[in-house]
Amino acid sequence: FINTTDGRLYVYELNNLPLGDATVAALDVDKREWQQTGIASLPVQLHHHDGFWDETSGKYLVFGGFGNKRFNNTFLEYDIPSDRWDTLSCSGERIVPRYFSGMAVNKSCEHIYIYGGMGNESGEQSVGRNYLHDCYLFDRTQNSIRRLWQKATDHRMVVARDMILSPDEKYIYALCYPEYLSDTYLQLYRLTVEDGTMKALGDSIPMRSEEIMTNANLYYNPLTSEYYCATTEFDKKGHTVIRTYVLSAPPVALEDICSYSPVSFSNTIQWIVIGASLVLLAGAGWWIRKRRKQPETPVKAETAVKEEIPFEVQKAETQQKEELESSVVRPNAVYLFGPFTVIDRNGRNITHLFSSRLRQVFIYILLHSSHNGVLSASLNEVFWSDKPDDKVKNLKGITINQIRKNLAELDGVELVYNKGYFKLVFTDAYCDYFHFRSLKNVEEVETEFGVLLMRGKFLDGMDAGMMDHFKQKVEEFLCSFLPLEIERLYQQHKYDAVIRFCHILFWVDPINELALGYCIHALHHTGSSQEAILQYSLFVREYKQMMNEEFPVSYARLMNQNPPFHQ
């Protein structure tokens, strides 16, 4: 932030530095020299908090943020001369703990507006997070907080830190974006302070949002009447990309641009357009005449061979591929194979609504729902054994309510409580785990199983020990079922299905020799000899890492053996 009193640029870090290290430093812009100014820090980190320099008090104020698995809702002030952080005491209404919210301040620094973000009533990350569409006014003259409005909405977006307040305080301009999308976009909105009406303005801005440090902010320059957006993107390799965008004020909506009639163009512009069109037409005519004089390029042999494939075969293969891809993820569904995924009734991915703890509780209940369900007391022991009884009751109640709220986005699935047991009841909604249990004793299942299992391992990425029993049961079944199914498919010359099932078996048992044998033979039959050699090389490397010895069977020897391999 810029200290308008001394004209220096200040940078700060709230937490996560060794005690005694510099946490605040100032840059003399004219001399381009840095100077340490403070070592004060906070006990917790506050990712994505709001902040502004209050030139009337000569202090820097921050609000909200996320750290230590909690959302924050306090106002803190930093005093530069004393190098101290102080908590402000406020009267009035309580702001829901949050991060990723936006802050707008009027010119006199007396009114502070807080809008949106993510959080929940308890402030506990384990309970989950809600996208908030509300606005609060913090009156600095009275140190009081008042909620202006709160609305239920499908607006699943967070806010870039700084918002711009119109001089008459009727409107707030905010940059919002769906942070849960890796390839996301920023959109400028105008919010009406009185009732929260939103209107999208200007063009959207693409941004990569993968790391929590990824940042975006909005600025306004009254001298040039321009808005500025600065984005800072971090990737998993530690690289940083900074981009700056500019938008002339006043920003307008797309429908406002489209409302201008082409009749309003001057005669000069019309003649320019007509002239440009004639030039393009003349150029196109010259290019066509030139192409006609050139000899036709002969068709390559492999292209001719490809065209000899009957149209019915191509159509069937395309249709089968489309059906396979579309059935991997369907609307109104819960997936436990591969990455945990929840798709709502409209086909929208809402997995981000399930925090780490929330999805653990949800999956734990789901896995037990094929029988009686989960005893309420068991949930206490598994998830909150280290909490006092009064807090356990509150945390469990909030967690169950949040799960029910998330499930309201789907049709035909309900979390019920009956005689001390929690249970998930699926009627119309799809769950791949329940589908898996219903299919596993059917003989002809190659298509169903191929679609069901191609998303990945069961409970992939879930390392909680409470799930190990279920993961083991699924893997034991696959290890006994898949070898027999692979052999049957190979005998029927269904080599693509053999390859697919061998890869599924590799997920469960990476050094399964039977899967290796069938896989490279099937690849060879499909004309993919190079892929077969690559598969063998990957297997040998995996075998060496796991067994700490060389794989004893050569590629040539495996290819000389004739299936069936299963004994």
Side-chain angles (χ1 to χ4, degrees), residues 21 80 97 128 132 137 144 147 164 253 257 268 291 299 327 348 367 369 377 392 396 410 417 424 462 480 507 552 567:
D21 274 20
I80 296 174
L132 305 169
L137 171 61
S144 64
R147 188 170 69 192
I164 308 302
I257 298 173
T268 302
R291 289 284 295 172
V299 179
S327 57
R348 186 173 51 191
L367 294 174
S369 295
V392 167
K396 183 170 66 176
L410 289 82
Y417 179 75
L424 281 162
M462 296 289 292
S480 62
W507 293 340
Q567 301 299 323

Side-chain angles (χ1 to χ4, degrees), residues 254-273:
L254 179 62
E255 59 265 27
D256 295 332
I257 298 173
C258 295
S259 66
Y260 285 97
S261 171
V263 177
S264 64
F265 276 57
S266 67
N267 290 334
T268 302
I269 295 177
Q270 289 183 16
W271 281 112
I272 291 174
V273 172

Side-chain angles (χ1 to χ4, degrees), residues 80-245:
I80 296 174
S82 63
D83 186 28
R84 191 177 72 184
W85 285 97
D86 293 314
T87 302
L88 296 183
S89 58
C90 310
S91 61
E93 297 182 77
R94 173 179 178 268
I95 302 180
V96 174
R98 64 190 65 201
Y99 73 131
F100 270 119
S101 59
M103 176 185 285
V105 185
N106 70 345
K107 189 174 182 180
S108 64
C109 298
E110 293 178 348
H111 293 165
I112 300 174
Y113 294 86
I114 302 293
Y115 164 69
M118 290 189 297
N120 60 51
E121 288 283 350
S122 70
E124 294 277 352
Q125 180 207 9
S126 60
V127 175
R129 58 187 186 179
N130 300 318
Y131 287 85
L132 305 169
H133 187 46
D134 53 8
C135 187
Y136 293 83
L137 171 61
F138 178 27
D139 190 327
R140 293 277 278 163
T141 60
Q142 301 178 5
N143 263 4
S144 64
I145 298 173
R146 177 167 59 94
R147 188 170 69 192
L148 301 179
W149 43 264
Q150 180 182 20
K151 295 185 175 183
T153 179
D154 291 332
H155 184 78
R156 288 188 170 88
M157 290 189 174
V158 297
V159 193
R161 300 197 322 175
D162 291 341
M163 304 187 300
I164 308 302
L165 185 66
S166 63
D168 56 8
E169 297 190 39
K170 289 184 177 180
Y171 301 105
I172 293 175
Y173 294 89
L175 271 177
C176 303
Y177 63 102
E179 98 301 338
Y180 56 89
L181 299 177
S182 294
D183 292 310
T184 189
Y185 61 92
L186 294 152
Q187 179 66 57
L188 182 66
Y189 287 92
R190 188 186 70 192
L191 287 83
T192 305
V193 173
E194 183 180 6
D195 58 10
T197 303
M198 297 183 70
K199 186 172 185 178
L201 303 172
D203 196 6
S204 61
I205 298 172
M207 187 175 73
R208 186 75 178 168
S209 174
E210 284 190 326
E211 301 295 307
I212 194 168
M213 293 184 294
T214 296
N215 211 322
N217 215 347
L218 179 66
Y219 308 92
Y220 179 68
N221 186 344
L223 298 178
T224 60
S225 297
E226 290 176 323
Y227 290 90
Y228 290 90
C229 168
T231 65
T232 309
E233 303 174 17
F234 295 81
D235 63 21
K236 298 183 183 298
K237 297 180 180 179
H239 300 147
T240 308
V241 179
I242 298 174
R243 296 184 176 91
T244 307
Y245 303 85

Side-chain angles (χ1 to χ4, degrees), residues 29 117 145 191 220 229 288 292 417 468 479 531 553 556:
V29 181
I145 298 173
L191 287 83
Y220 179 68
C229 168
I288 291 171
R292 285 176 177 173
Y417 179 75
D468 286 348
C479 283
E531 286 82 354
V553 185

